[in-house]
Amino acid sequence: MKCLDIYLSGLNKEEYNEIKPKVEISKVKTTPLVSWDIFMDDYYIRLIEAKKRMEIEQVLSFAKKFNWKNDLNLAFSENDYEALIVTDKNQNIIWVNEGFTSMTGYSKKFAINKTPKFLQGEETSVKTKNRIQEKIEQVNPFKEIIVNYKKDGTAYNCEVKIIPLFNENTTHYLAFEKKIG
């Protein structure tokens, strides 16, 4: 009915009087389409879930390609994230998800082949950077909070969970990241 209302409101008096006998005006009061809100909430949730499944599939395809022995399904079930980063053993980024771009403002293309150090800046603690480097060298999963910077220069606290990925040796790292505070 709303389309008809819009159409009728655009007619001049002559046009309206000509069409008026053909239009039956309902005596029933209309109510807003409340189900649209319910639909959109569900749609949004499903969209996020689909994106996460695609991200997991991408990481699993890397796992197959590089023959990683890690239980990545468990890693994904245990870790909440906004951004995902896969680096090689030298910490050069080989892949990031869309959440990385949303969180940092940097495009995927910009991030590839760089180390995550480009996200650091003036307020990034040297002690935290050193702790992260030491933990990476120990080749064990760990969690740290570091001050990173968005493309626009805004600082944010970033919780980083890094998991070494291995076959016989550690070949890559997977970072689960999210803004905190």
Side-chain angles (χ1 to χ4, degrees), residues 31-44:
T31 58
L33 186 57
V34 177
S35 63
W36 182 253
D37 291 340
I38 295 167
F39 167 78
M40 286 307 294
D41 288 345
D42 183 60
Y43 176 76
Y44 182 70

Side-chain angles (χ1 to χ4, degrees), residues 18-50:
E18 184 180 319
I19 203 168
K20 187 177 178 182
K22 298 176 185 174
V23 177
E24 184 179 315
I25 298 176
S26 175
K27 305 282 187 235
V28 178
K29 293 275 186 184
T30 60
T31 58
L33 186 57
V34 177
S35 63
W36 182 253
D37 291 340
I38 295 167
F39 167 78
M40 286 307 294
D41 288 345
D42 183 60
Y43 176 76
Y44 182 70
I45 289 166
R46 288 176 187 253
L47 186 61
I48 290 170
E49 289 170 353

Side-chain angles (χ1 to χ4, degrees), residues 147-164:
V147 176
N148 276 347
Y149 287 82
K150 296 181 181 187
K151 185 177 181 181
D152 68 6
T154 307
Y156 65 96
N157 289 322
C158 183
E159 180 183 84
V160 182
K161 295 179 184 177
I162 297 179
I163 299 172

